[in-house]
Amino acid sequence: MARSSIKTIRILRETAGRIASGAPYQWGHMGSCNCGHLAQTITTHSKGDIHKAAMTRYGDWAEQLRDYCPESGLPLDVVIDRMLETGFTRNDLAHLERLSDPDVLSTISPTPKALRHNVRDDVVLYLNAWANLLEKQLLDHVSLQELQTESVQTTAVLLDA
């Protein structure tokens, strides 16, 4: 599962918001499908640039992720590098393309029969559920006691200065 961080949560919510607000969505287009939209958010490349990068090798996102090689220098592998550096895993991205991560799906209430991987509203629902899950995981690791102790120590250091 992706690293629980403010950055990954923000990226997921930004991607969901862009899709929900009517950005071009086409599941069969490598730059405007589920992973393509996430790649747009992370890299700021256009959907056309991402699609063009994907066309240098065969296959959809699942095949591209399976064949990914960080040393290849292929344009889409460079895009995937950026996505991985941000905290996502290849498995996360494969699940995103099919809206299939069981941990994410288990947080959606009421539990849908099945999300359709190529339906805009289902993609938005999945991205927001994923962001909520990561946010919960992040907050579960925050200790108010630790924050209060750090705050007291910081205040003491500032007063001594």
Tab-separated table of all heavy atoms in Angstrom, residues 90-142:
chain	number	residue	atom	x	y	z
A	90	ARG	N	3.939	-0.408	-7.423
A	90	ARG	CA	3.436	-0.955	-8.685
A	90	ARG	C	2.106	-1.670	-8.459
A	90	ARG	O	1.195	-1.587	-9.271
A	90	ARG	CB	4.469	-1.896	-9.300
A	90	ARG	CG	5.647	-1.127	-9.869
A	90	ARG	CD	6.857	-1.963	-10.155
A	90	ARG	NE	6.628	-3.089	-11.040
A	90	ARG	CZ	7.580	-3.952	-11.369
A	90	ARG	NH1	8.807	-3.812	-10.902
A	90	ARG	NH2	7.326	-4.949	-12.172
A	91	ASN	N	2.002	-2.345	-7.331
A	91	ASN	CA	0.765	-3.046	-6.991
A	91	ASN	C	-0.388	-2.049	-6.809
A	91	ASN	O	-1.504	-2.289	-7.279
A	91	ASN	CB	0.973	-3.880	-5.728
A	91	ASN	CG	-0.075	-4.944	-5.552
A	91	ASN	OD1	-0.547	-5.535	-6.517
A	91	ASN	ND2	-0.444	-5.180	-4.309
A	92	ASP	N	-0.116	-0.923	-6.138
A	92	ASP	CA	-1.135	0.131	-5.985
A	92	ASP	C	-1.654	0.578	-7.341
A	92	ASP	O	-2.860	0.749	-7.543
A	92	ASP	CB	-0.544	1.387	-5.317
A	92	ASP	CG	-0.208	1.227	-3.867
A	92	ASP	OD1	-0.858	0.419	-3.178
A	92	ASP	OD2	0.710	1.933	-3.413
A	93	LEU	N	-0.727	0.821	-8.256
A	93	LEU	CA	-1.090	1.342	-9.570
A	93	LEU	C	-1.890	0.311	-10.361
A	93	LEU	O	-2.866	0.660	-11.035
A	93	LEU	CB	0.154	1.786	-10.324
A	93	LEU	CG	0.974	2.884	-9.624
A	93	LEU	CD1	2.249	3.180	-10.405
A	93	LEU	CD2	0.157	4.138	-9.398
A	94	ALA	N	-1.510	-0.951	-10.261
A	94	ALA	CA	-2.263	-2.006	-10.948
A	94	ALA	C	-3.678	-2.094	-10.373
A	94	ALA	O	-4.658	-2.223	-11.125
A	94	ALA	CB	-1.543	-3.349	-10.819
A	95	HIS	N	-3.794	-2.002	-9.045
A	95	HIS	CA	-5.128	-2.011	-8.425
A	95	HIS	C	-5.935	-0.783	-8.834
A	95	HIS	O	-7.139	-0.880	-9.068
A	95	HIS	CB	-5.017	-2.056	-6.901
A	95	HIS	CG	-4.778	-3.422	-6.348
A	95	HIS	ND1	-5.622	-4.486	-6.593
A	95	HIS	CD2	-3.798	-3.893	-5.543
A	95	HIS	CE1	-5.159	-5.558	-5.961
A	95	HIS	NE2	-4.048	-5.225	-5.329
A	96	LEU	N	-5.278	0.380	-8.925
A	96	LEU	CA	-5.987	1.596	-9.323
A	96	LEU	C	-6.585	1.437	-10.716
A	96	LEU	O	-7.738	1.831	-10.949
A	96	LEU	CB	-5.050	2.808	-9.292
A	96	LEU	CG	-5.613	4.102	-9.893
A	96	LEU	CD1	-6.883	4.542	-9.170
A	96	LEU	CD2	-4.547	5.200	-9.861
A	97	GLU	N	-5.854	0.861	-11.619
A	97	GLU	CA	-6.355	0.746	-12.989
A	97	GLU	C	-7.623	-0.100	-13.040
A	97	GLU	O	-8.499	0.140	-13.857
A	97	GLU	CB	-5.265	0.194	-13.907
A	97	GLU	CG	-5.522	0.452	-15.358
A	97	GLU	CD	-5.706	1.925	-15.741
A	97	GLU	OE1	-5.296	2.845	-14.999
A	97	GLU	OE2	-6.313	2.153	-16.812
A	98	ARG	N	-7.749	-1.061	-12.136
A	98	ARG	CA	-8.932	-1.939	-12.114
A	98	ARG	C	-9.850	-1.679	-10.912
A	98	ARG	O	-10.832	-2.392	-10.719
A	98	ARG	CB	-8.496	-3.412	-12.099
A	98	ARG	CG	-7.825	-3.861	-13.365
A	98	ARG	CD	-8.806	-3.879	-14.487
A	98	ARG	NE	-8.154	-4.277	-15.732
A	98	ARG	CZ	-8.802	-4.561	-16.824
A	98	ARG	NH1	-10.103	-4.516	-16.856
A	98	ARG	NH2	-8.150	-4.880	-17.911
A	99	LEU	N	-9.504	-0.694	-10.069
A	99	LEU	CA	-10.265	-0.377	-8.853
A	99	LEU	C	-10.473	-1.642	-8.026
A	99	LEU	O	-11.595	-2.001	-7.665
A	99	LEU	CB	-11.617	0.263	-9.193
A	99	LEU	CG	-11.592	1.456	-10.134
A	99	LEU	CD1	-13.007	2.000	-10.325
A	99	LEU	CD2	-10.666	2.551	-9.642
A	100	SER	N	-9.367	-2.295	-7.685
A	100	SER	CA	-9.483	-3.648	-7.141
A	100	SER	C	-8.792	-3.898	-5.807
A	100	SER	O	-8.785	-5.039	-5.342
A	100	SER	CB	-8.939	-4.639	-8.174
A	100	SER	OG	-7.563	-4.377	-8.441
A	101	ASP	N	-8.225	-2.889	-5.156
A	101	ASP	CA	-7.531	-3.155	-3.897
A	101	ASP	C	-8.550	-3.514	-2.817
A	101	ASP	O	-9.424	-2.705	-2.486
A	101	ASP	CB	-6.718	-1.935	-3.457
A	101	ASP	CG	-5.847	-2.233	-2.259
A	101	ASP	OD1	-6.404	-2.578	-1.198
A	101	ASP	OD2	-4.620	-2.125	-2.374
A	102	PRO	N	-8.448	-4.714	-2.235
A	102	PRO	CA	-9.429	-5.141	-1.235
A	102	PRO	C	-9.464	-4.225	-0.001
A	102	PRO	O	-10.534	-4.013	0.573
A	102	PRO	CB	-8.992	-6.550	-0.843
A	102	PRO	CG	-7.913	-6.950	-1.769
A	102	PRO	CD	-7.458	-5.745	-2.522
A	103	ASP	N	-8.318	-3.676	0.390
A	103	ASP	CA	-8.294	-2.786	1.554
A	103	ASP	C	-9.057	-1.502	1.271
A	103	ASP	O	-9.778	-0.989	2.134
A	103	ASP	CB	-6.851	-2.461	1.964
A	103	ASP	CG	-6.117	-3.672	2.517
A	103	ASP	OD1	-6.781	-4.572	3.076
A	103	ASP	OD2	-4.884	-3.717	2.378
A	104	VAL	N	-8.900	-0.964	0.082
A	104	VAL	CA	-9.629	0.248	-0.301
A	104	VAL	C	-11.115	-0.067	-0.420
A	104	VAL	O	-11.968	0.650	0.126
A	104	VAL	CB	-9.085	0.849	-1.621
A	104	VAL	CG1	-9.948	2.020	-2.081
A	104	VAL	CG2	-7.629	1.269	-1.465
A	105	LEU	N	-11.437	-1.142	-1.108
A	105	LEU	CA	-12.841	-1.501	-1.318
A	105	LEU	C	-13.565	-1.752	0.000
A	105	LEU	O	-14.749	-1.421	0.135
A	105	LEU	CB	-12.944	-2.730	-2.227
A	105	LEU	CG	-12.462	-2.519	-3.663
A	105	LEU	CD1	-12.436	-3.845	-4.414
A	105	LEU	CD2	-13.313	-1.492	-4.389
A	106	SER	N	-12.857	-2.283	0.982
A	106	SER	CA	-13.504	-2.589	2.271
A	106	SER	C	-13.901	-1.334	3.038
A	106	SER	O	-14.707	-1.408	3.964
A	106	SER	CB	-12.589	-3.464	3.131
A	106	SER	OG	-11.498	-2.701	3.620
A	107	THR	N	-13.361	-0.184	2.653
A	107	THR	CA	-13.699	1.061	3.354
A	107	THR	C	-14.909	1.765	2.756
A	107	THR	O	-15.409	2.724	3.340
A	107	THR	CB	-12.514	2.052	3.332
A	107	THR	OG1	-12.305	2.520	1.993
A	107	THR	CG2	-11.252	1.425	3.881
A	108	ILE	N	-15.365	1.311	1.607
A	108	ILE	CA	-16.491	1.964	0.934
A	108	ILE	C	-17.788	1.404	1.501
A	108	ILE	O	-18.013	0.200	1.496
A	108	ILE	CB	-16.415	1.758	-0.591
A	108	ILE	CG1	-15.123	2.360	-1.140
A	108	ILE	CG2	-17.640	2.360	-1.272
A	108	ILE	CD1	-14.862	2.057	-2.595
A	109	SER	N	-18.608	2.311	1.998
A	109	SER	CA	-19.854	1.893	2.618
A	109	SER	C	-21.013	2.653	1.982
A	109	SER	O	-20.926	3.872	1.810
A	109	SER	CB	-19.786	2.174	4.117
A	109	SER	OG	-20.951	1.741	4.750
A	110	PRO	N	-22.100	2.015	1.623
A	110	PRO	CA	-22.247	0.569	1.673
A	110	PRO	C	-21.342	-0.073	0.623
A	110	PRO	O	-21.045	0.530	-0.400
A	110	PRO	CB	-23.719	0.340	1.336
A	110	PRO	CG	-24.118	1.530	0.529
A	110	PRO	CD	-23.272	2.675	1.041
A	111	THR	N	-20.911	-1.274	0.907
A	111	THR	CA	-20.002	-1.973	0.019
A	111	THR	C	-20.664	-2.167	-1.342
A	111	THR	O	-21.746	-2.747	-1.425
A	111	THR	CB	-19.599	-3.336	0.605
A	111	THR	OG1	-19.066	-3.124	1.906
A	111	THR	CG2	-18.578	-4.044	-0.265
A	112	PRO	N	-20.024	-1.647	-2.392
A	112	PRO	CA	-20.622	-1.804	-3.728
A	112	PRO	C	-20.496	-3.251	-4.202
A	112	PRO	O	-19.600	-3.976	-3.784
A	112	PRO	CB	-19.772	-0.878	-4.601
A	112	PRO	CG	-18.467	-0.770	-3.888
A	112	PRO	CD	-18.765	-0.937	-2.415
A	113	LYS	N	-21.429	-3.653	-5.065
A	113	LYS	CA	-21.325	-4.991	-5.657
A	113	LYS	C	-19.971	-5.110	-6.347
A	113	LYS	O	-19.233	-6.033	-6.132
A	113	LYS	CB	-22.447	-5.229	-6.652
A	113	LYS	CG	-23.808	-5.345	-6.046
A	113	LYS	CD	-24.837	-5.599	-7.138
A	113	LYS	CE	-26.205	-5.234	-6.616
A	113	LYS	NZ	-27.193	-5.208	-7.674
A	114	ALA	N	-19.709	-4.153	-7.177
A	114	ALA	CA	-18.418	-4.084	-7.861
A	114	ALA	C	-18.283	-2.687	-8.445
A	114	ALA	O	-19.241	-2.152	-9.002
A	114	ALA	CB	-18.330	-5.133	-8.962
A	115	LEU	N	-17.115	-2.117	-8.292
A	115	LEU	CA	-16.848	-0.842	-8.946
A	115	LEU	C	-16.485	-1.138	-10.391
A	115	LEU	O	-15.803	-2.122	-10.679
A	115	LEU	CB	-15.712	-0.105	-8.259
A	115	LEU	CG	-15.975	0.392	-6.844
A	115	LEU	CD1	-14.749	1.127	-6.312
A	115	LEU	CD2	-17.184	1.301	-6.787
A	116	ARG	N	-16.938	-0.299	-11.276
A	116	ARG	CA	-16.600	-0.446	-12.681
A	116	ARG	C	-15.362	0.403	-12.939
A	116	ARG	O	-15.389	1.617	-12.749
A	116	ARG	CB	-17.783	-0.015	-13.539
A	116	ARG	CG	-18.964	-0.994	-13.362
A	116	ARG	CD	-20.284	-0.366	-13.602
A	116	ARG	NE	-20.449	0.736	-12.635
A	116	ARG	CZ	-21.420	1.614	-12.674
A	116	ARG	NH1	-22.327	1.562	-13.605
A	116	ARG	NH2	-21.515	2.572	-11.770
A	117	HIS	N	-14.303	-0.242	-13.356
A	117	HIS	CA	-13.003	0.418	-13.491
A	117	HIS	C	-12.976	1.504	-14.554
A	117	HIS	O	-12.077	2.330	-14.566
A	117	HIS	CB	-11.909	-0.617	-13.787
A	117	HIS	CG	-12.073	-1.308	-15.097
A	117	HIS	ND1	-12.826	-2.449	-15.223
A	117	HIS	CD2	-11.610	-1.010	-16.326
A	117	HIS	CE1	-12.816	-2.831	-16.490
A	117	HIS	NE2	-12.077	-1.980	-17.182
A	118	ASN	N	-13.963	1.533	-15.412
A	118	ASN	CA	-13.967	2.499	-16.505
A	118	ASN	C	-15.121	3.499	-16.399
A	118	ASN	O	-15.535	4.072	-17.395
A	118	ASN	CB	-14.002	1.771	-17.849
A	118	ASN	CG	-15.217	0.878	-17.989
A	118	ASN	OD1	-15.961	0.655	-17.041
A	118	ASN	ND2	-15.419	0.354	-19.185
A	119	VAL	N	-15.613	3.706	-15.187
A	119	VAL	CA	-16.715	4.651	-14.962
A	119	VAL	C	-16.214	5.768	-14.060
A	119	VAL	O	-15.753	5.523	-12.937
A	119	VAL	CB	-17.936	3.937	-14.342
A	119	VAL	CG1	-19.019	4.930	-13.950
A	119	VAL	CG2	-18.474	2.882	-15.304
A	120	ARG	N	-16.285	6.981	-14.559
A	120	ARG	CA	-15.756	8.167	-13.881
A	120	ARG	C	-16.145	8.220	-12.398
A	120	ARG	O	-15.297	8.403	-11.531
A	120	ARG	CB	-16.253	9.416	-14.601
A	120	ARG	CG	-15.915	10.728	-13.944
A	120	ARG	CD	-16.611	11.906	-14.617
A	120	ARG	NE	-16.294	12.000	-16.021
A	120	ARG	CZ	-15.276	12.716	-16.508
A	120	ARG	NH1	-14.512	13.401	-15.709
A	120	ARG	NH2	-15.049	12.734	-17.799
A	121	ASP	N	-17.431	8.117	-12.080
A	121	ASP	CA	-17.876	8.249	-10.691
A	121	ASP	C	-17.285	7.162	-9.796
A	121	ASP	O	-16.993	7.411	-8.624
A	121	ASP	CB	-19.405	8.221	-10.604
A	121	ASP	CG	-20.042	9.472	-11.203
A	121	ASP	OD1	-19.345	10.497	-11.374
A	121	ASP	OD2	-21.256	9.422	-11.504
A	122	ASP	N	-17.124	5.957	-10.331
A	122	ASP	CA	-16.525	4.878	-9.542
A	122	ASP	C	-15.044	5.149	-9.282
A	122	ASP	O	-14.537	4.850	-8.198
A	122	ASP	CB	-16.709	3.532	-10.243
A	122	ASP	CG	-18.149	3.025	-10.179
A	122	ASP	OD1	-18.989	3.675	-9.515
A	122	ASP	OD2	-18.428	1.977	-10.793
A	123	VAL	N	-14.361	5.729	-10.248
A	123	VAL	CA	-12.941	6.075	-10.073
A	123	VAL	C	-12.803	7.138	-8.988
A	123	VAL	O	-11.948	7.027	-8.100
A	123	VAL	CB	-12.311	6.566	-11.399
A	123	VAL	CG1	-10.867	6.989	-11.184
A	123	VAL	CG2	-12.408	5.491	-12.463
A	124	VAL	N	-13.666	8.141	-9.019
A	124	VAL	CA	-13.636	9.205	-8.009
A	124	VAL	C	-13.914	8.618	-6.629
A	124	VAL	O	-13.214	8.941	-5.652
A	124	VAL	CB	-14.643	10.321	-8.371
A	124	VAL	CG1	-14.802	11.318	-7.231
A	124	VAL	CG2	-14.202	11.026	-9.652
A	125	LEU	N	-14.903	7.749	-6.526
A	125	LEU	CA	-15.229	7.096	-5.257
A	125	LEU	C	-14.020	6.313	-4.731
A	125	LEU	O	-13.659	6.404	-3.552
A	125	LEU	CB	-16.437	6.167	-5.443
A	125	LEU	CG	-16.867	5.352	-4.223
A	125	LEU	CD1	-17.351	6.271	-3.099
A	125	LEU	CD2	-17.969	4.361	-4.623
A	126	TYR	N	-13.379	5.552	-5.588
A	126	TYR	CA	-12.222	4.742	-5.214
A	126	TYR	C	-11.053	5.617	-4.753
A	126	TYR	O	-10.435	5.360	-3.713
A	126	TYR	CB	-11.804	3.868	-6.397
A	126	TYR	CG	-10.676	2.910	-6.125
A	126	TYR	CD1	-10.935	1.611	-5.694
A	126	TYR	CD2	-9.337	3.270	-6.327
A	126	TYR	CE1	-9.902	0.710	-5.458
A	126	TYR	CE2	-8.304	2.378	-6.091
A	126	TYR	CZ	-8.596	1.098	-5.653
A	126	TYR	OH	-7.566	0.212	-5.416
A	127	LEU	N	-10.735	6.660	-5.518
A	127	LEU	CA	-9.619	7.546	-5.158
A	127	LEU	C	-9.858	8.212	-3.801
A	127	LEU	O	-8.946	8.299	-2.976
A	127	LEU	CB	-9.400	8.604	-6.237
A	127	LEU	CG	-8.775	8.116	-7.542
A	127	LEU	CD1	-8.939	9.166	-8.635
A	127	LEU	CD2	-7.316	7.753	-7.350
A	128	ASN	N	-11.085	8.675	-3.567
A	128	ASN	CA	-11.391	9.303	-2.281
A	128	ASN	C	-11.356	8.300	-1.137
A	128	ASN	O	-10.868	8.612	-0.041
A	128	ASN	CB	-12.736	10.027	-2.345
A	128	ASN	CG	-12.627	11.345	-3.079
A	128	ASN	OD1	-11.665	12.085	-2.920
A	128	ASN	ND2	-13.617	11.650	-3.903
A	129	ALA	N	-11.842	7.081	-1.382
A	129	ALA	CA	-11.777	6.040	-0.346
A	129	ALA	C	-10.326	5.697	-0.028
A	129	ALA	O	-9.962	5.502	1.142
A	129	ALA	CB	-12.531	4.787	-0.817
A	130	TRP	N	-9.480	5.647	-1.035
A	130	TRP	CA	-8.059	5.360	-0.837
A	130	TRP	C	-7.406	6.474	-0.026
A	130	TRP	O	-6.656	6.218	0.921
A	130	TRP	CB	-7.400	5.181	-2.194
A	130	TRP	CG	-6.009	4.654	-2.198
A	130	TRP	CD1	-5.279	4.172	-1.132
A	130	TRP	CD2	-5.159	4.544	-3.345
A	130	TRP	NE1	-4.038	3.772	-1.554
A	130	TRP	CE2	-3.938	3.988	-2.902
A	130	TRP	CE3	-5.312	4.857	-4.681
A	130	TRP	CZ2	-2.871	3.751	-3.770
A	130	TRP	CZ3	-4.254	4.610	-5.544
A	130	TRP	CH2	-3.051	4.063	-5.087
A	131	ALA	N	-7.714	7.712	-0.368
A	131	ALA	CA	-7.170	8.849	0.381
A	131	ALA	C	-7.634	8.792	1.837
A	131	ALA	O	-6.839	9.025	2.766
A	131	ALA	CB	-7.597	10.165	-0.265
A	132	ASN	N	-8.901	8.472	2.059
A	132	ASN	CA	-9.421	8.367	3.427
A	132	ASN	C	-8.724	7.259	4.207
A	132	ASN	O	-8.424	7.416	5.399
A	132	ASN	CB	-10.933	8.133	3.412
A	132	ASN	CG	-11.699	9.333	2.906
A	132	ASN	OD1	-11.198	10.456	2.893
A	132	ASN	ND2	-12.929	9.102	2.464
A	133	LEU	N	-8.470	6.136	3.546
A	133	LEU	CA	-7.776	5.023	4.193
A	133	LEU	C	-6.360	5.428	4.593
A	133	LEU	O	-5.920	5.177	5.724
A	133	LEU	CB	-7.735	3.804	3.260
A	133	LEU	CG	-6.933	2.588	3.731
A	133	LEU	CD1	-7.512	2.023	5.024
A	133	LEU	CD2	-6.902	1.525	2.637
A	134	LEU	N	-5.636	6.073	3.688
A	134	LEU	CA	-4.277	6.520	3.998
A	134	LEU	C	-4.289	7.569	5.111
A	134	LEU	O	-3.407	7.574	5.979
A	134	LEU	CB	-3.594	7.069	2.746
A	134	LEU	CG	-3.272	6.050	1.655
A	134	LEU	CD1	-2.641	6.742	0.456
A	134	LEU	CD2	-2.396	4.930	2.173
A	135	GLU	N	-5.288	8.440	5.094
A	135	GLU	CA	-5.399	9.455	6.145
A	135	GLU	C	-5.619	8.796	7.504
A	135	GLU	O	-5.004	9.169	8.506
A	135	GLU	CB	-6.539	10.414	5.828
A	135	GLU	CG	-6.703	11.518	6.854
A	135	GLU	CD	-7.794	12.486	6.456
A	135	GLU	OE1	-8.947	12.031	6.246
A	135	GLU	OE2	-7.485	13.688	6.353
A	136	LYS	N	-6.482	7.797	7.548
A	136	LYS	CA	-6.729	7.077	8.800
A	136	LYS	C	-5.449	6.400	9.283
A	136	LYS	O	-5.108	6.460	10.463
A	136	LYS	CB	-7.849	6.057	8.623
A	136	LYS	CG	-8.180	5.300	9.913
A	136	LYS	CD	-9.233	4.246	9.685
A	136	LYS	CE	-9.604	3.490	10.925
A	136	LYS	NZ	-8.517	3.088	11.791
A	137	GLN	N	-4.730	5.759	8.364
A	137	GLN	CA	-3.473	5.104	8.734
A	137	GLN	C	-2.473	6.120	9.271
A	137	GLN	O	-1.773	5.855	10.248
A	137	GLN	CB	-2.876	4.366	7.538
A	137	GLN	CG	-3.660	3.151	7.123
A	137	GLN	CD	-3.146	2.535	5.828
A	137	GLN	OE1	-2.294	3.090	5.143
A	137	GLN	NE2	-3.690	1.375	5.480
A	138	LEU	N	-2.416	7.277	8.644
A	138	LEU	CA	-1.495	8.330	9.083
A	138	LEU	C	-1.866	8.819	10.479
A	138	LEU	O	-1.014	8.933	11.364
A	138	LEU	CB	-1.512	9.480	8.082
A	138	LEU	CG	-0.546	10.627	8.327
A	138	LEU	CD1	0.899	10.156	8.233
A	138	LEU	CD2	-0.793	11.745	7.314
A	139	LEU	N	-3.146	9.070	10.684
A	139	LEU	CA	-3.597	9.570	11.981
A	139	LEU	C	-3.454	8.525	13.085
A	139	LEU	O	-3.220	8.873	14.247
A	139	LEU	CB	-5.043	10.053	11.890
A	139	LEU	CG	-5.246	11.313	11.052
A	139	LEU	CD1	-6.726	11.627	10.889
A	139	LEU	CD2	-4.493	12.497	11.642
A	140	ASP	N	-3.568	7.249	12.717
A	140	ASP	CA	-3.389	6.177	13.708
A	140	ASP	C	-1.970	6.154	14.261
A	140	ASP	O	-1.730	5.623	15.340
A	140	ASP	CB	-3.724	4.812	13.107
A	140	ASP	CG	-5.222	4.595	12.944
A	140	ASP	OD1	-6.018	5.389	13.494
A	140	ASP	OD2	-5.599	3.626	12.244
A	141	HIS	N	-1.028	6.735	13.531
A	141	HIS	CA	0.368	6.737	13.962
A	141	HIS	C	0.793	8.054	14.613
A	141	HIS	O	1.949	8.229	14.959
A	141	HIS	CB	1.291	6.414	12.779
A	141	HIS	CG	1.194	4.985	12.360
A	141	HIS	ND1	0.319	4.570	11.383
A	141	HIS	CD2	1.807	3.868	12.811
A	141	HIS	CE1	0.421	3.258	11.247
A	141	HIS	NE2	1.320	2.812	12.092
A	142	VAL	N	-0.155	8.966	14.744
A	142	VAL	CA	0.147	10.249	15.387
A	142	VAL	C	-0.248	10.147	16.845
A	142	VAL	O	-1.367	9.776	17.180
A	142	VAL	CB	-0.632	11.409	14.698
A	142	VAL	CG1	-0.469	12.701	15.470
A	142	VAL	CG2	-0.174	11.568	13.269
